[in-house]
């Protein structure tokens, strides 16, 4: 209601990014996403679930430290971990509990248990535990393309990240910025090239402009448009309307760019 579709054609995309309801996205926009290889951005991804968990954990941790009585009852770090985990699980369920959302919810659950119990774990074990939980709960998930694409993409990200951990810790601010940008580009190409066989196997098609389109769209949608949409949901109506207007304007610029590609 805050954004009438007659004046704001991309309202359905904001709804999909915030709560996972894709029914309001117009068919012409789906064709743009398919042509540019950005369809996956319209689903509630692991990054969205993780972002909600981080926001809630940070907020609870900050507020918890301001109340000494709560600090005595439970350390702020543990309270933040519990709040972030519950928020991630609730958001994953709200979004329909797709395979990417399941994977992230289970990975965060394993990580939360490790933090609360004082144990240290490695990302590969967390991913393996999430994979086992998905298969135990839904054995037929292996028949869904999203299962292979989701776990395959995260595995590639872990593999690429291992090789650059030591290099990012050293050097000046400028060199670290260059390393970060180079790592971002490497990550994009690793996921794009690594997922190519699966995309050809499942869908028999691949967008040649997908790497460029995703390099532009992923950071904008993941770190600007989606957080603003989520923030607008929890704020009072006055702030909600203003934030959604701003969010829609930014999304319009991105969509115009994708349409022209």
């Amino acid at each position: 209601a805050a954004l009438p579709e007659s004046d704001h054609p991309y309202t359905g995309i904001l709804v999909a990014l915030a709560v996972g309801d894709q029914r309001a996205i117009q068919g012409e926009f789906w064709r743009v996403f398919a042509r540019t290889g950005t369809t996956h951005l319209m689903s509630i991804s692991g990054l969205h679930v993780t972002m909600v968990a981080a926001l809630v954990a940070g907020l609870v941790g900050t507020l918890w430290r301001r109340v000494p009585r709560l600090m005595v009852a439970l350390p702020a770090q543990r309270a933040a971990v519990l709040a972030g985990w519950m928020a991630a699980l609730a958001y994953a369920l709200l979004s329909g509990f797709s395979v990417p959302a399941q994977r992230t919810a289970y990975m965060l659950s394993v990580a939360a248990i490790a933090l609360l119990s004082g144990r240290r774990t490695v990302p590969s074990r967390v991913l393996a535990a999430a994979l086992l939980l998905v298969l135990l709960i839904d054995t037929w998930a292996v028949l869904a393309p999203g299962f292979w694409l989701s776990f395959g993409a995260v595995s590639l990200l872990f593999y690429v990240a291992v090789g650059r951990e030591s290099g990012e810790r050293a050097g000046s601010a400028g060199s670290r910025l260059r390393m970060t940008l180079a790592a971002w580009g490497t990550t994009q190409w690793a996921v794009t090239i690594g997922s190519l066989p699966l995309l050809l196997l499942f869908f028999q098609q691949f967008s040649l402009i997908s790497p460029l389109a995703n390099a532009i769209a992923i950071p904008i949608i993941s770190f600007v448009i989606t957080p603003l949409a989520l923030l607008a949901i929890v704020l009072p109506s006055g702030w909600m309307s203003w934030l959604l207007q701003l969010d829609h304007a930014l999304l319009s610029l991105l969509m115009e760019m994708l349409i022209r590609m």
Side-chain angles (χ1 to χ4, degrees):
L3 290 178
E5 290 196 33
S6 57
D7 301 322
H8 304 84
Y10 306 121
T11 300
I13 298 177
L14 291 179
V15 173
L17 292 174
V19 298
D21 187 355
Q22 303 175 349
R23 292 173 295 180
I25 300 180
Q26 301 178 22
E28 61 185 285
F29 298 150
W30 283 119
R31 288 189 286 272
V32 172
F33 298 142
R35 180 170 53 81
T36 56
T38 53
T39 304
H40 63 96
L41 295 176
M42 295 303 106
S43 302
I44 298 296
S45 68
L47 181 60
H48 296 157
V49 178
T50 306
M51 189 184 305
V52 169
L55 289 174
V56 173
L59 178 61
V60 170
T62 301
L63 296 177
W64 204 270
R65 291 183 180 90
R66 297 179 180 274
V67 183
R69 186 176 299 178
L70 294 177
M71 288 284 291
V72 173
L74 183 68
Q77 183 183 23
R78 289 176 175 266
V81 169
L82 284 172
W85 170 74
M86 290 188 290
L89 185 59
Y91 186 55
L93 291 171
L94 176 66
S95 68
F97 218 47
S98 62
V99 171
Q102 288 182 48
R103 182 254 303 161
T104 306
Y106 297 148
M107 288 180 67
L108 291 175
S109 298
V110 174
I113 292 172
L115 289 171
L116 293 173
S117 62
R119 297 176 180 270
R120 296 186 62 184
T121 186
V122 295
S124 58
R125 291 184 179 179
V126 174
L127 182 63
L131 175 62
L132 177 61
L133 285 172
V134 170
L135 293 178
L136 287 176
I137 295 174
D138 183 12
T139 307
W140 297 105
V142 293
L143 300 179
F147 173 87
W148 298 97
L149 291 171
S150 176
F151 281 99
V154 175
S155 300
L156 285 169
L157 290 175
F158 285 165
Y159 179 77
V160 173
V162 168
R164 64 168 188 262
E165 283 182 353
S166 58
E168 290 183 345
R169 298 194 186 112
S172 63
S175 63
R176 288 197 297 271
L177 176 60
R178 289 193 296 271
M179 289 179 183
T180 301
L181 294 175
W184 174 258
T186 301
T187 299
Q188 290 298 312
W189 280 104
V191 174
T192 300
I193 301 301
S195 61
L196 177 57
L198 290 175
L199 290 172
L200 293 176
L201 174 64
F202 291 123
F203 306 110
Q204 294 80 48
Q205 62 180 357
F206 177 76
S207 173
L208 293 177
I209 62 173
S210 175
L212 176 60
N214 278 281
I216 297 173
I218 287 176
I220 294 176
I221 287 181
S222 300
F223 301 115
V224 180
I225 294 176
T226 300
L228 285 177
L230 294 173
L231 187 60
I233 295 176
V234 299
L235 290 179
S237 58
W239 283 94
M240 174 191 291
S241 178
W242 182 82
L243 275 178
L244 288 178
Q245 294 282 351
L246 173 62
D247 210 13
H248 189 274
L250 296 173
L251 179 59
S252 299
L253 295 175
L254 176 62
M255 288 299 297
E256 289 298 323
M257 187 180 302
L258 294 177
I259 291 172
R260 293 176 182 276
M261 283 187 172

